[in-house]
Structure formats: structure tokens, C-alpha cells
Amino acid sequence: MCETMNVLSEDSIFGQIFGFLGNMIALNVLWIVTSLPIVTIGASTTAMYYTALKLHKDKDVTVWKAFFQSFKQNFIQATAIWAVLAAVGALLFIEGKWLLLSESASSTFLSFSLIGIGLITGVLLLYIFPVIAAFSNTLGRLAAHAFYFAFHKPGYLIATAAITCLPMYFTMVDAKLFPVYLLIWLMCGFSLTAYGNAWFYLRLFQPHLKAAVTESAQSGAWEREG
């Protein structure tokens, strides 16, 4: 009996694995539920990244408290940028459909333009919500920070894009295993993606978070840690 309890204790390997999976499942459920209104996806994604960054940084985190703290704190900024990104995405989709039917001589140029805008939008989509989760500033400056972090270490950009996009790609193209993929997404897929990306984001953010803490001690200002 004692051996069984030791194996399942919080300090054991199994205890840590089960604790981690429990946090991922809880975080995933919170993100799905708070994303259902669609307009709240920006706030819920920011809250998910805030919690994932905290789990990497502080380890011992109460998931639901951290999630709703960020959800409320960043709701306005995250919702505003989500609305902009969603509008741009919708316009790109409509323009893309129109170009497929168009035989205009300028369609090639427009196609490359749409691809360029799409890539820029995709980069912002990858980085803006983690940046909002970690830093406190105006939305314009946060967007500038997002692009800075994205291109400061291109290898991290490629890694986070792969972690985000490849699982979605395999989910869509593998019809036989789609039910399995769907179950994983519903249980912990979104939170695991955020947790994997947060490993890279935290390493990008930490030097700037330390600088912000130093400045806050001197000026009374404070930047939010993720």
C-alpha cells in the first residue's frame, strides 16, 4: 500500500505525469468553453498562453485562477486584435475565392500580394497573443513587439509555426484517424500546442521581462510577467 502511494505521490514520476496531464486537460477545457462565443477567442487564447507560460516559469500554478486572471485582464486588447485578424482573414478568403474565378491579367500580382499579407497576418497571429499575455503596453507597441520577437530568432518562428500547423494539417488530411485526432484536440490538443510553443516564447521574453522588472524598481512602472 505504501509503495503504491509513493508511486502516485506528487513528487514521483507518475505523479508528475498525471499532474501535467491534468493541467493540460483543464487548460484545454477552459480554452474550448471560453472560445465558444467566437468573439472571445482572442481573450481565451491569450489566457491559455499566459497559463502555459506560468506553468513553464513557476511550475506550481492553479490553472483556472491563472487562466481567468489573464482572461479578464487582457480581454479588451485581445478581443480587439482578434477582431482585426478575423476581418483580415475573412477578406483574404473572399479575395482568394475571387482570384480563383478571375482571368484578369493582374491576378498573378494580386495572388502574390495576398500570399504576402497572409504570411504577415499568420506571423502576427502566432505571436501577438503570447506577447499580450506577457507584456503590458499599447496595442500598437505590442504588435510591434510581436514582429520583433518573430524575426529576432527565425528558428523559433519556424518551430512554433510547425508545432501549431503540422498537427492541424495531419488532422485534416488523415480521414481514417480523424476521430482519434479529434479526441486528442478535445482533451488536450490545444493546450499542448500552447505549452509547446510557450517553451520558445518564454526564452524569447525572459531577457525583456528581467529588464522590465529592473525598470519597474526604478520608475514604479511594471510589466506583466507570463
Side-chain angles (χ1 to χ4, degrees):
M1 182 69 177
C2 290
E3 290 183 2
T4 303
M5 291 182 66
N6 287 334
V7 169
L8 296 178
S9 68
E10 291 184 2
D11 295 329
S12 69
I13 295 296
F14 288 105
Q16 292 177 18
I17 291 173
F18 288 130
F20 173 75
L21 288 176
N23 284 336
M24 290 298 100
I25 292 170
L27 184 55
N28 206 70
V29 170
L30 286 169
W31 183 84
I32 290 174
V33 171
T34 54
S35 295
L36 289 176
I38 306 300
V39 295
T40 57
I41 287 177
S44 61
T45 302
T46 300
M48 180 170 63
Y49 273 112
Y50 176 85
T51 309
L53 288 163
K54 292 281 282 183
L55 285 168
H56 275 291
K57 183 174 178 292
D58 300 330
K59 306 299 182 184
D60 186 18
V61 175
T62 303
V63 168
W64 69 269
K65 284 185 178 180
F67 185 93
F68 283 112
Q69 177 187 343
S70 175
F71 188 87
K72 291 185 290 185
Q73 192 171 28
N74 299 306
F75 184 85
I76 294 176
Q77 284 189 323
T79 302
I81 195 65
W82 166 246
V84 172
L85 290 171
V88 171
L91 287 172
L92 288 174
F93 177 78
I94 293 169
E95 288 293 325
K97 295 282 285 185
W98 177 81
L99 282 174
L100 288 175
L101 301 174
S102 174
E103 296 181 358
S104 171
S106 61
S107 60
T108 301
F109 172 76
L110 290 174
S111 297
F112 283 112
S113 299
L114 288 181
I115 291 171
I117 296 170
L119 289 173
I120 293 170
T121 304
V123 169
L124 186 60
L125 189 62
L126 274 175
Y127 277 79
I128 188 61
F129 299 117
V131 167
I132 293 174
F135 298 97
S136 180
N137 213 316
T138 64
L139 200 52
R141 287 185 176 271
L142 290 170
H145 293 342
F147 284 116
Y148 166 77
F149 286 123
F151 296 108
H152 179 61
K153 287 195 175 181
Y156 283 15
L157 173 58
I158 294 170
T160 53
I163 291 170
T164 303
C165 299
L166 286 180
M168 295 182 182
Y169 170 78
F170 287 120
T171 300
M172 299 304 295
V173 300
D174 195 340
K176 289 183 179 180
L177 291 178
F178 180 80
V180 177
Y181 289 131
L182 180 61
L183 179 61
I184 294 172
W185 282 115
L186 292 175
M187 286 186 63
C188 57
F190 298 104
S191 58
L192 279 175
T193 299
Y195 188 82
N197 285 339
W199 188 91
F200 295 96
Y201 294 140
L202 186 59
R203 278 149 185 78
L204 280 171
F205 298 164
Q206 267 185 332
H208 301 275
L209 290 170
K210 290 176 182 177
V213 170
T214 302
E215 289 177 7
S216 69
Q218 298 173 348
S219 66
W222 183 75
E223 287 203 68
R224 183 164 56 252
E225 291 192 34

